[in-house]
Amino acid sequence: MRILSIDGGGYLGLAPAAFLSALEERFQARAADRFDLFCGTSTGAIIALALASGMSASEVCALYERFGAAVFKWARLWRTVPWLKSLRAVPYALYDNAPLKAALTEAFGDLTLDDLHKAGKKVLVTAFNVTCGTPTVFKTDHGPGLTAHGRFLVRDVALASSAAPMYLPLVELIDPVDGVRERFCDGAMVSNSPALLGYAEAVSHLAQDPTDLAILSLGTPRSDLAEQQSALRWRERRIARGLWGWRLGERIIEMTIDGGATVAHTALTRIAKATGAKYSRITLDRPNGLDIDFATAAATATLRQIGVAKARDGTIHSELASFFIDD
């Protein structure tokens, strides 16, 4: 059984999508056809759901380029006039999610998780249920006792999982089974790297032997979280920092998300070694000038280049060949 897992990271998700697109071209095989279980968080949820619905990775890249600039249209202004960003971020989310909702509606229509399952695809997507104060893992009804999420619309699940705090509004969904209205935010608050959840799902609900599992986990471009004194602003050098010193909380969120992803990777590496599962983790570097909400033409070109350049690596080809071609 092959499992594909994709991290969160806003518009940076274009890089792993471009990476997959380059691999599809090289191996002449579509990820949509080569994987059985698609796991995703936030932007990774959009990619995972798109692939599970039958899109090629190239089509996913095109989807990102269509909605990126519309969703994050104020990013350049926030960079140019930081105090305006601070002023906006105190009472409101930085961006409206209407353009993203429209793009997801165009991409997925009225497709449900049940439709994906009927097409032979299994999905696992994380979100955080703010109403209940608990994590939610949206799944296709692919195992015993799984009956809760099949009737949810794919577009709604993708929107809920990608509702990054501070950046995008909460997403209110009505449960299609019991009619309960609940609010959700970004799945990165649950697990930014859902590969470990994918492994657990495979050996539990799907009753797979670990030795029959092959897991490919893709990260989005991440920045170095180390605090070098010479690179810190004066307000960030203080030990007794307030919210300002944590960049209005953005850095706290980054540390929480990236730290959790690192722990999940370390745990799954050890589990795979102990159980005989195949596990590959591909990480992508993030050069200066890129942010999760920066979707300019230059950022788009850079993210595509990052993904394609990684896919050209001969070592990567050898490591990932078995995911795309049969022996």
Side-chain angles (χ1 to χ4, degrees):
M1 181 181 197
R2 299 185 187 94
I3 301 172
L4 177 62
S5 173
I6 308 171
D7 291 9
Y11 193 65
L12 299 171
L14 177 59
F19 173 77
L20 285 173
S21 180
L23 290 181
E24 287 186 342
E25 182 67 25
R26 176 174 180 82
F27 293 116
Q28 291 297 292
R30 296 177 358 128
D33 302 324
R34 297 297 301 176
F35 291 89
D36 308 292
L37 174 60
F38 297 82
C39 307
T41 288
S42 194
T43 196
I46 295 175
I47 299 172
L49 290 165
L51 295 173
S53 71
M55 290 187 198
S56 67
S58 177
E59 290 173 318
V60 176
C61 290
L63 171 63
Y64 269 70
E65 293 187 27
R66 285 199 301 273
F67 74 64
V71 174
F72 302 119
K73 63 180 180 180
W74 300 115
R76 190 186 294 275
L77 176 63
W78 301 149
R79 280 193 174 193
T80 306
V81 192
W83 65 266
L84 274 180
K85 179 179 181 180
S86 301
L87 193 63
R88 167 78 182 191
V90 172
Y92 302 110
L94 288 173
Y95 304 102
D96 183 8
N97 66 0
L100 179 58
K101 186 174 183 179
L104 295 175
T105 299
E106 180 182 355
F108 298 118
D110 293 329
L111 198 69
T112 66
L113 293 184
D114 263 345
D115 292 328
L116 298 184
H117 189 221
K118 290 174 183 175
K121 299 302 178 183
K122 304 172 184 64
V123 167
L124 181 153
V125 167
T126 62
F128 190 87
N129 187 322
V130 177
T131 302
C132 296
T134 57
T136 292
V137 181
F138 289 102
K139 305 176 186 178
T140 45
D141 295 341
H142 52 241
L146 296 181
T147 59
H149 301 140
R151 289 165 56 187
F152 274 98
L153 294 172
V154 170
R155 68 185 192 227
D156 288 344
V157 173
L159 192 67
S161 182
S162 57
M166 292 176 53
Y167 289 93
L168 292 168
L170 295 170
V171 172
E172 191 169 76
L173 300 183
I174 299 175
D175 191 304
V177 175
D178 55 28
V180 172
R181 190 182 298 268
E182 296 172 319
R183 293 179 174 182
F184 295 87
C185 73
D186 197 347
M189 301 296 102
V190 177
S191 175
N192 198 51
S193 181
L196 183 59
L197 294 176
Y199 174 89
E201 192 70 13
V203 297
S204 58
H205 277 118
L206 298 173
Q208 295 291 307
D209 187 318
T211 59
D212 293 329
L213 296 180
I215 306 165
L216 174 55
S217 175
L218 302 182
T220 50
R222 311 309 297 174
S223 57
D224 186 354
L225 292 177
E227 290 195 348
Q228 305 299 333
Q229 289 296 312
S230 60
L232 295 178
R233 304 168 190 172
W234 66 267
R235 61 179 178 268
E236 295 166 352
R237 295 176 184 171
R238 302 175 60 185
I239 294 177
R241 297 177 187 171
L243 197 58
W244 198 22
W246 290 105
R247 301 177 194 171
L248 294 179
E250 287 181 12
R251 184 160 173 75
I252 296 174
I253 294 174
E254 285 182 348
M255 292 169 63
T256 302
I257 289 173
D258 289 355
T262 300
V263 170
H265 166 60
T266 301
L268 188 50
T269 298
R270 295 177 179 178
I271 291 171
K273 184 176 181 181
T275 61
K278 174 181 172 60
Y279 170 58
S280 296
R281 169 78 170 168
I282 304 300
T283 57
L284 301 167
D285 295 328
R286 181 166 132 191
N288 292 331
L290 294 180
D291 283 309
I292 66 172
D293 60 342
F294 214 51
T296 62
T300 295
T302 300
L303 289 168
R304 274 190 171 273
Q305 190 277 330
I306 289 171
V308 171
K310 191 74 169 182
R312 288 181 182 146
D313 188 321
T315 303
I316 297 293
H317 296 160
S318 300
E319 181 180 352
L320 303 187
S322 61
F323 288 100
F324 288 90
I325 55 176
D326 295 322
D327 296 331

